[in-house]
Amino acid sequence: MGRKREFDEEAVLAGAMMAFRRHGYAGLSVIELEAATQISAGSLYNAYGDKEGLYRAVFDFYFRKVIDPRIGAAQTLDDLEKVAIDLFNPPFSDGLGCLVTNAAVEFRNSAGTGGHFAGRGLDIIEAAALRAVRADMGDGNEPAALRIVLLYQGMLVLTRAGRLSNAYKDAVRAEFDRLRRQAKSTFPAIREQNAKGD
Amino acid sequence: MGRKREFDEEAVLAGAMMAFRRHGYAGLSVIELEAATQISAGSLYNAYGDKEGLYRAVFDFYFRKVIDPRIGAAQTLDDLEKVAIDLFNPPFSDGLGCLVTNAAVEFRNSAGTGGHFAGRGLDIIEAAALRAVRADMGDGNEPAALRIVLLYQGMLVLTRAGRLSNAYKDAVRAEFDRLRRQAKSTFPAIREQNAKGD
DNA sequence: CTAGTTTTAGTATGGACATTCTAGAATGGA
DNA sequence: TCCATTCTAGAATGTCCATACTAAAACTAG
């Protein structure tokens, strides 16, 4: 019933995702979205209702493809360190930052769609940090987890400013090294116990 | 020669500063600027040329009133800790974040006026962190300074998202405590030497 | 006093933008 | 093979925006 959709939805969302990461929401026009997605505004409106609907779909896509598998799935300090250090490697070194961080700054205080998704993303990041710290260091080190959240968000700000030099890579690595050292010395049993699980 | 300016320039810049902090550059219309500054668009254009000229003037004002005295003048870890912890206290707890951080995210990669000022602000913040760490901890601890920069920028992202809870305050304080402890134990002479200076 | 200059408020303008409309093309069930 | 439905491209629309313009008001040098 009805004509088949001609465009590849994943490709459209991927293109729009790059464009929203680069320009933000307000800074990206529908005309630019036509170029980024290679489909006409008519099709965009037919498929997603309006610009905000596309933004929502892009955010869902971003959670599904980037946040959930990378951060939502992180269980250990090593996993989180990889997430952070990957900001220095392709494809994450493109300088466009994270849709979540960018939206948190663009849409203040959880207002509207952008703020809602930003909040959801920060929930996931916070939860991952707490999970990893508890797994590797035991309870009572929640402040270390929150500092990881702050470090990571700070990295994304500097990324966006084109200022995330290799000196920052060393600084972040050193922090994870320190946490792991502290984990081993203070709670030597915990990592062993983790290793046994599953 | 000519009519006197009726408005108080500092008040206009202060009002525009709040509005730009709240809404960003693109997200703030000239009509909203009329309300925020209490002067008409005609006067704004006469005084500042265009919207970008006003933005530049606001940024200069922000450096002069906020960045330079608070961060540019910071010499020690204590000074920097105060800057960070003040994000939890009025007037800095208004949730609007820092013009520098917001501009760094809005204007990617130092592009244009916003990026230029963001870069200048980040220069000052980085320099202050390095100065404080060197003063209190001696050379060789530059990574600690960069982590302070990241923590601070991360705090500003969470502020903007309305998520900078008191738990983060403790986490940040604990980090500064740790740095001071490390400073004392590793370089006991340095703080004494500092105290003598001047 | 007044001529010249700057400031002010308000209106006008031209462009950009999100969105809607239109007409035709593709699809699949009856 | 139609026919209802969905999709697509592009043109049309109305709104909002930054900025330019206008005329009056206020000020100062001479």
Side-chain angles (χ1 to χ4, degrees):
Chain A
M1 357 129 130
R3 181 173 171 178
K4 251 193 233 155
R5 205 159 269 187
E6 280 178 15
F7 62 82
D8 172 359
E9 178 147 24
E10 298 262 308
V12 163
L13 292 175
M17 180 188 84
M18 290 301 278
F20 276 123
R21 283 211 306 139
R22 184 180 301 271
H23 300 290
Y25 179 78
L28 183 65
S29 72
V30 173
I31 291 180
E32 290 170 307
L33 275 168
E34 291 188 278
T37 59
Q38 303 274 41
I39 63 174
S40 69
S43 296
L44 285 177
Y45 275 83
N46 178 65
Y48 302 103
D50 56 12
K51 186 184 170 188
E52 189 183 318
L54 173 59
Y55 191 59
R56 267 192 298 262
V58 164
F59 243 121
D60 277 335
F61 179 78
Y62 189 69
F63 276 108
R64 189 153 38 83
K65 293 288 186 182
V66 181
I67 298 287
D68 290 342
R70 294 181 56 74
I71 303 181
Q75 302 294 339
T76 64
L77 290 175
D78 287 354
D79 293 343
L80 283 186
E81 182 181 28
K82 175 164 170 40
V83 169
I85 296 301
D86 270 350
L87 289 180
F88 296 92
N89 305 320
F92 303 101
S93 54
D94 57 13
L96 304 184
C98 171
L99 211 48
V100 168
T101 306
N102 297 354
V105 174
E106 181 171 3
F107 304 93
R108 189 180 43 98
N109 215 29
S110 311
T113 298
H116 162 75
F117 279 106
R120 232 181 87 191
L122 290 172
D123 280 341
I124 292 171
I125 294 166
E126 235 175 53
L130 287 166
R131 191 185 329 126
V133 164
R134 284 182 183 133
D136 284 4
M137 306 177 73
D139 286 347
N141 287 290
E142 285 75 11
L146 300 187
R147 284 194 295 272
I148 290 174
V149 173
L150 295 179
L151 281 181
Y152 184 57
Q153 294 306 311
M155 290 175 77
L156 288 162
V157 170
L158 290 227
T159 287
R160 194 80 189 148
R163 289 179 142 261
L164 197 66
S165 64
N166 277 324
Y168 282 97
K169 175 153 62 170
D170 297 337
V172 168
R173 267 213 268 253
E175 173 70 5
F176 278 99
D177 285 342
R178 195 181 66 75
L179 292 176
R180 276 184 296 249
R181 227 175 305 123
Q182 186 183 331
K184 270 189 198 150
S185 72
T186 319
F187 300 93
I190 286 180
R191 288 179 72 91
E192 314 269 334
Q193 185 183 324
N194 264 355
K196 272 187 235 152
D198 291 50
Chain B
M1 14 127 117
R3 181 171 171 177
K4 252 193 232 155
R5 203 161 270 185
E6 281 177 16
F7 63 83
D8 173 0
E9 177 147 24
E10 298 262 309
V12 163
L13 292 175
M17 180 189 83
M18 291 300 278
F20 277 123
R21 283 211 305 139
R22 185 180 299 271
H23 300 291
Y25 180 78
L28 182 67
S29 73
V30 172
I31 291 180
E32 290 170 306
L33 275 168
E34 291 188 276
T37 58
Q38 303 274 40
I39 63 174
S40 69
S43 296
L44 286 176
Y45 275 83
N46 178 64
Y48 302 103
D50 56 11
K51 185 184 171 188
E52 190 184 317
L54 174 58
Y55 191 60
R56 267 191 299 259
V58 163
F59 243 120
D60 277 335
F61 180 78
Y62 189 70
F63 276 108
R64 188 154 39 84
K65 293 286 186 184
V66 181
I67 299 287
D68 290 342
R70 296 182 54 75
I71 303 180
Q75 301 294 340
T76 64
L77 290 175
D78 288 354
D79 293 342
L80 282 187
E81 182 183 28
K82 176 164 170 40
V83 169
I85 297 301
D86 269 351
L87 289 181
F88 295 92
N89 305 320
F92 303 101
S93 54
D94 58 13
L96 305 184
C98 170
L99 210 48
V100 168
T101 307
N102 298 354
V105 174
E106 181 171 3
F107 304 93
R108 190 180 43 97
N109 215 32
S110 311
T113 297
H116 162 76
F117 279 106
R120 233 181 87 190
L122 291 171
D123 279 340
I124 293 172
I125 294 166
E126 235 176 52
L130 287 166
R131 191 184 331 126
V133 164
R134 285 182 183 133
D136 284 4
M137 307 178 72
D139 288 347
N141 287 289
E142 286 75 12
L146 300 187
R147 284 194 295 271
I148 290 175
V149 173
L150 295 179
L151 281 180
Y152 184 58
Q153 294 306 311
M155 291 175 76
L156 288 162
V157 170
L158 290 228
T159 286
R160 193 83 188 145
R163 289 180 142 260
L164 197 66
S165 64
N166 277 325
Y168 282 96
K169 175 153 62 169
D170 297 336
V172 169
R173 268 213 266 254
E175 173 70 4
F176 278 98
D177 285 342
R178 194 181 68 75
L179 291 177
R180 278 185 295 249
R181 227 175 303 125
Q182 186 182 333
K184 270 189 199 154
S185 72
T186 319
F187 300 92
I190 286 181
R191 288 178 73 88
E192 315 267 335
Q193 185 183 324
N194 264 356
K196 271 187 235 154
D198 290 53

